[in-house]
Amino acid sequence: MQQGSDRVSNRGIHGWIGRVRSAIAAMPEVQPEESIVLRIAVQAMVTIGIIATDVSAETTMSVWAVPLSLFGAWWSWSQRSKRNMPVKFLLALGMIGALGIFFNNLMTSLNDTRLTLAELLIQVQVLHSFDLPRRKDLGYSMTIGLILMGVAATLSQTMAFAPLLLLFLVFTLPSLLYDYRSRLGLHSDRGRDRRTPARTRQKRLANLPWRTLTGLLVTTLAIGMTIFIFMPRLPGYQIQSFPVSADIPFQGQFDGRNIVRPSESGTDGVGETGAGGMPPEGPGEVDEENYYGFSDRINQNLRGTMEPQVVMRVRSQAPGFWRVMAFDHYTGQGWEVSDRDQTETYERSNWSYRFSLPPIYTESDQKEIIQTYTLVKDLPGIIPALDRAAYLYFPTQEVVLDKEDALRSPVILAEGLTYSVISSTRYRDRTLLGRAGTDYKDRIRDRYLDVPDALRDRLRQYTEAVLAKSENPIDSPYEQALYLAQHLKQTFVIPENPLDLPFLADGDDLVEQFLFLCENTTNPRCQSGGYPDHFSTVLTMMLRSIGVPSRLVVGFGVGEFNPFTGLYEVKNTDAYAMTEVYFPRHGWFAFDPIPGHEIIPPSPVDYQAFGVLRKLWSWVAGWLPSPLTGVLQGVFNAIGRVLAWVLQQFGQGWGGLLIGLAALTGGGFLGWLGWYGATQWRYQRRLARLSDADRLYRQILDWSAAQGLPKRPAQTPLEYLQAVRDRYPAEVATTIEQAIGLYIRWHYGGESVSVTAAAAEFEQAKQTWRKTQRRSVLDVLKTE
């Protein structure tokens, strides 16, 4: 009995296995994609996408991914007619492994998952390249290549991405063409059809529309560049998860009393020497790479210049002065931060990179500006930010805020570091600041009105004498700062050769030497002045001498905006010092007395949505005559003001949204009217150049096409007449037939014909047709 049961059970199992085998055998055979060119083009797209991601993210994934993907593409082609079931199981295991690696990497990069997702796509594509028998599988690879290019575009900060994007487009167009042919069952190169002679296959490839593809490529680039130029750069990050580097561990305690600097050994260093190893006092040479001002004590008795090099790239909603730190105590030949022990330490959560910093009380209007910084060169552990940071996204567990509103890091800002800042930037209202008054608190007076005793009286007398030259009395600290900054810019000079400026001797005062060097000399070539930062030092001390609280602030200028990457490329030579002036109830505002600079540094209101278009116009305007430039400039300014007003409405709530949409709709209608008028004018101009018979013939064809009966290119006039007889009433068709008959006699017979009567009859026929159409509509309405 038991043996019989076993035999029955075995027969059942074998029967089930047999049915499964039969079902598998009955499955339709996978039709492999035979187009070699399509496979090569798709593989090129994927390869370029991998390399672009590598270049933008500065990784080395392409070292292994590209060779494996190429080998997989070759293997899948050679095995395209087989089921390859063992390989499919191995690929499935590989996919599971890639998913595990993805989740592991995701836990360490929760704040910015772009690169983690790109790594997963590359791993999946490498595995997928071993199994590409069908056209739709190639479609998946094309999609992966496109996604990788999108990720690379968001990560790219240099122009190195541009040639890869162009190359990707070059391969995309033929890929789309061959993909379309494959969908229709048309193959220009069937790999299995070995009976087709090689010369025939080459002829098929040569017959491809290469000229059309080239024209399409040029047209695509032209349209893309036009959209890029005219596209407004709208301020605003659309997400609230900002780019930040991976967490940086720090061992030990950090109180922020000393600035962490890169040392020559490549490790973090803390000490009392000046920035970049420059002496903190006395004569010395400027470091060729590092700005001297990023230290607790700066020495302005240094001479020399820096070699320009990019130190960071900034993506910001608005340009500005990337503030680093400020100094309150003047030493006679430089500045230092006093009371370095008075710092506040802020810690963040383990689950977030965000530091919440204390707000500053101000009666000035504020605007939230988001910035993202990426370091290209090692910098000291002082964190640049626009104005005063409200939130900081930084990869260390703690940061320190000193009394001069500088953010200090426990580690250096190493090359490749990325962090983000949300700043509450204040609007600069000249009227409000002019009314701020002089009701300073004791802590402000004690800290920011200090002037050396030996300099105080002489400097105050000089400053008051300068202000007395104004035609109108200047009582407001804000207006005094503006007037004195302008005086320094117009009166003193920066030496053409930096080495011509003599060193300060022991006991010499920088401000005194700057202002009074040529006062008691008869040398006509004597020029008072100094280095750019010396101007800011002099302005700061002049304001202090008349009771206006001031301090010296250092940081980076805006840098050079790259319209292709959307980043501000900031160099070490963009670093300089300005004067910050305190206004009660409003806070600190900067003034720039350096010749060649604007007195008021860039602010959020200076943002221009169409900045790229403005730069293009500036270049074109240089080649046009001045009168024409003036007229066009006025027109463009008016258009720009209107567009700026419309874009501003979208940020004013629902009412502003409706107003903005209505304005865009009205503008679109006016634009359509202008375009329609221009096309009609061009149409009439084109008709005027034709002969009478040709003009009437063209008018008939255009009118009939508007009625839904266009003439196909392959139709002869006589064939078209047959379609006219079938479509229009006899009266209209007869008139058209007579006019086209005149055209045939003129065009083919070379006869001289008069079309005056035919043209009049055609106008009457159009009226008859309109009446017929109206009657038809009325009949339909009555029937309903």
Side-chain angles (χ1 to χ4, degrees):
M1 291 290 294
Q2 181 68 32
Q3 292 179 354
S5 299
D6 292 342
R7 284 195 296 270
V8 172
S9 176
N10 289 336
R11 284 198 300 270
I13 294 175
H14 287 304
W16 179 81
I17 294 177
R19 287 193 296 272
V20 171
R21 287 179 176 177
S22 300
I24 294 176
M27 293 177 62
E29 183 181 357
V30 174
Q31 296 297 324
E33 175 57 55
E34 298 291 346
S35 175
I36 299 177
V37 178
L38 176 57
R39 286 174 172 265
I40 293 176
V42 171
Q43 184 60 39
M45 291 175 59
V46 172
T47 301
I48 295 170
I50 296 174
I51 296 175
T53 304
D54 239 7
V55 171
S56 300
E58 298 182 353
T59 57
T60 57
M61 292 182 289
S62 59
V63 173
W64 60 268
V66 171
L68 283 178
S69 181
L70 292 174
F71 176 76
W74 170 82
W75 190 89
S76 65
W77 165 256
S78 61
Q79 304 293 319
R80 63 189 182 279
S81 300
K82 301 179 181 179
R83 290 188 179 274
N84 303 315
M85 294 304 296
V87 175
K88 293 182 185 293
F89 279 108
L90 293 177
L91 293 180
L93 294 176
M95 295 285 185
I96 296 174
L99 188 62
I101 296 174
F102 166 72
F103 283 118
N104 180 67
N105 294 338
L106 188 64
M107 298 303 298
T108 61
S109 59
L110 291 175
N111 202 68
D112 188 2
T113 59
R114 293 174 297 175
L115 188 57
T116 304
L117 292 172
E119 291 176 351
L120 174 64
L121 285 176
I122 291 174
Q123 294 164 1
V124 169
Q125 171 55 35
V126 170
L127 295 172
H128 185 60
S129 64
F130 285 85
D131 184 29
L132 298 174
R134 297 166 297 180
R135 178 194 52 75
K136 71 175 184 179
D137 294 321
L138 295 175
Y140 298 151
S141 295
M142 293 169 64
T143 304
I144 290 177
L146 181 61
I147 295 175
L148 290 177
M149 290 300 294
V151 173
T154 63
L155 294 172
S156 176
Q157 296 187 352
T158 67
M159 288 297 294
F161 175 73
L164 292 172
L165 178 61
L166 180 61
L167 194 61
F168 183 82
L169 182 60
V170 168
F171 283 99
T172 299
L173 294 179
S175 297
L176 294 175
L177 171 65
Y178 275 99
D179 181 71
Y180 181 70
R181 290 190 171 193
S182 179
R183 292 173 186 270
L184 297 178
L186 304 175
H187 297 283
S188 296
D189 56 320
R190 301 191 65 86
R192 293 188 302 182
D193 191 2
R194 303 187 182 278
R195 295 172 298 177
T196 304
R199 181 176 299 178
T200 302
R201 293 197 298 269
Q202 293 174 1
K203 184 176 180 180
R204 288 177 178 175
L205 289 175
N207 288 335
L208 288 176
W210 299 113
R211 182 176 299 178
T212 303
L213 288 176
T214 304
L216 183 59
L217 174 63
V218 174
T219 303
T220 303
L221 291 175
I223 294 175
M225 291 301 297
T226 302
I227 294 175
F228 175 81
I229 292 173
F230 285 90
M231 181 176 60
R233 270 59 177 175
L234 297 176
Y237 280 54
Q238 301 305 315
I239 57 174
Q240 291 293 311
S241 179
F242 306 113
V244 183
S245 296
D247 189 59
I248 300 177
F250 175 75
Q251 301 296 331
Q253 294 183 346
F254 177 69
D255 55 16
R257 287 184 294 177
N258 293 307
I259 296 173
V260 183
R261 295 188 306 274
S263 64
E264 294 182 358
S265 62
T267 58
D268 297 353
V270 179
E272 299 295 331
T273 60
M278 292 172 278
E281 59 184 12
E285 297 295 328
V286 170
D287 190 298
E288 293 185 352
E289 296 184 358
N290 303 297
Y291 178 63
Y292 77 100
F294 300 150
S295 180
D296 287 317
R297 182 183 178 93
I298 63 173
N299 177 14
Q300 293 188 307
N301 196 15
L302 303 176
R303 303 294 181 262
T305 58
M306 290 188 295
E307 293 293 331
Q309 54 181 293
V310 176
V311 295
M312 65 180 183
R313 299 187 181 96
V314 184
R315 185 184 302 279
S316 176
Q317 293 176 301
F321 180 73
W322 318 121
R323 188 184 190 276
V324 177
M325 64 184 302
F327 304 88
D328 64 310
H329 182 246
Y330 175 63
T331 63
Q333 296 186 4
W335 292 83
E336 66 179 0
V337 179
S338 63
D339 298 331
R340 283 184 286 168
D341 295 337
Q342 298 183 19
T343 59
E344 298 180 38
T345 301
Y346 294 88
E347 297 182 355
R348 63 172 174 83
S349 166
N350 292 329
W351 300 101
S352 172
Y353 286 97
R354 189 177 80 167
F355 292 89
S356 296
L357 302 174
I360 298 179
Y361 170 75
T362 178
E363 294 182 4
S364 299
D365 292 335
Q366 300 181 68
K367 182 179 180 62
E368 186 179 88
I369 301 295
I370 303 173
Q371 319 114 60
T372 297
Y373 300 79
T374 300
L375 279 297
V376 181
K377 181 182 180 297
D378 291 352
L379 289 180
I382 327 173
I383 304 172
L386 181 62
D387 203 354
R388 171 66 183 268
Y391 300 99
L392 171 69
Y393 294 77
F394 200 75
T396 60
Q397 281 294 125
E398 60 182 15
V399 295
V400 169
L401 182 68
D402 68 18
K403 287 298 182 181
E404 306 304 328
D405 301 326
L407 287 167
R408 304 193 176 201
S409 165
V411 297
I412 65 170
L413 306 187
E415 178 183 350
L417 173 71
T418 297
Y419 67 94
S420 298
V421 179
I422 302 179
S423 298
S424 294
T425 308
R426 293 156 296 172
Y427 281 98
R428 195 181 191 112
D429 190 317
R430 183 172 182 173
T431 303
L432 287 178
L433 296 179
R435 298 173 181 171
T438 58
D439 185 17
Y440 306 117
K441 296 181 179 180
D442 290 341
R443 62 179 180 84
I444 296 295
R445 293 180 180 274
D446 295 341
R447 193 178 185 93
Y448 301 109
L449 290 178
D450 181 43
V451 181
D453 294 337
L455 180 65
R456 182 180 294 110
D457 293 339
R458 188 180 186 186
L459 182 59
R460 185 184 68 253
Q461 293 172 6
Y462 177 84
T463 304
E464 291 175 347
V466 171
L467 293 173
K469 296 178 182 179
S470 173
E471 296 179 358
N472 300 314
I474 303 177
D475 300 324
S476 163
Y478 188 88
E479 298 301 326
Q480 289 173 344
L482 285 177
Y483 189 86
L484 293 175
Q486 190 64 35
H487 167 75
L488 292 177
K489 291 165 66 74
Q490 296 177 349
T491 307
F492 301 93
V493 297
I494 300 174
E496 295 182 3
N497 184 357
L499 299 179
D500 289 343
L501 189 67
F503 286 104
L504 299 174
D506 291 341
D508 288 347
D509 186 275
L510 170 64
V511 175
E512 191 172 25
Q513 287 284 83
F514 184 99
L515 294 175
F516 310 118
L517 176 65
C518 299
E519 189 176 71
N520 299 319
T521 182
T522 58
N523 183 3
R525 301 182 61 184
C526 181
Q527 290 182 324
S528 296
Y531 281 3
D533 287 358
H534 296 174
F535 284 77
S536 301
T537 292
V538 172
L539 176 61
T540 304
M541 300 311 296
M542 290 177 70
L543 289 169
R544 287 187 174 190
S545 71
I546 58 174
V548 179
S550 308
R551 66 185 180 187
L552 191 80
V553 61
V554 295
F556 292 98
V558 175
E560 183 178 356
F561 181 72
N562 186 333
F564 294 96
T565 61
L567 301 173
Y568 295 95
E569 298 178 350
V570 183
K571 300 179 180 179
N572 54 351
T573 51
D574 291 323
Y576 64 95
M578 291 193 300
T579 298
E580 280 190 337
V581 180
Y582 180 79
F583 298 94
R585 304 183 308 280
H586 295 280
W588 295 92
F589 286 85
F591 295 82
D592 190 346
I594 300 174
H597 292 196
E598 295 290 338
I599 294 180
I600 306 301
S603 63
V605 296
D606 298 326
Y607 178 80
Q608 297 175 352
F610 296 93
V612 177
L613 184 59
R614 180 176 292 275
K615 290 183 178 181
L616 177 63
W617 162 245
S618 300
W619 179 80
V620 173
W623 298 87
L624 299 177
S626 297
L628 179 59
T629 301
V631 173
L632 294 178
Q633 183 72 46
V635 174
F636 291 153
N637 286 340
I639 296 175
R641 285 192 293 269
V642 172
L643 291 176
W645 178 83
V646 172
L647 293 175
Q648 186 180 7
Q649 299 307 308
F650 286 98
Q652 306 299 321
W654 287 106
L657 179 62
L658 294 176
I659 294 175
L661 291 175
L664 286 179
T665 304
F669 177 69
L670 293 177
W672 175 82
L673 285 179
W675 176 262
Y676 180 76
T679 54
Q680 289 300 309
W681 177 78
R682 290 177 55 199
Y683 177 70
Q684 296 299 329
R685 287 286 304 274
R686 187 169 66 250
L687 290 179
R689 291 193 294 266
L690 302 176
S691 63
D692 293 342
D694 199 5
R695 184 187 310 116
L696 179 59
Y697 178 68
R698 177 52 55 188
Q699 289 175 318
I700 291 174
L701 294 184
D702 293 338
W703 175 82
S704 184
Q707 309 309 314
L709 185 64
K711 178 184 177 297
R712 296 191 300 273
Q715 282 182 312
T716 64
L718 294 177
E719 291 173 337
Y720 183 68
L721 277 177
Q722 183 59 46
V724 167
R725 296 188 190 102
D726 296 338
R727 173 65 182 275
Y728 298 113
E731 181 181 353
V732 177
T734 301
T735 302
I736 295 177
E737 183 177 359
Q738 292 175 356
I740 292 180
L742 292 174
Y743 171 78
I744 293 174
R745 290 166 53 193
W746 169 80
H747 185 72
Y748 297 99
E751 299 181 20
S752 178
V753 296
S754 175
V755 298
T756 305
E761 292 176 1
F762 176 61
E763 294 297 328
Q764 185 63 36
K766 288 195 293 184
Q767 296 179 9
T768 302
W769 173 250
R770 283 195 292 268
K771 293 178 181 179
T772 303
Q773 292 295 98
R774 284 197 294 268
R775 283 197 299 269
S776 300
V777 172
L778 291 175
D779 292 341
V780 171
L781 293 176
K782 290 178 181 179
T783 302
E784 292 181 354

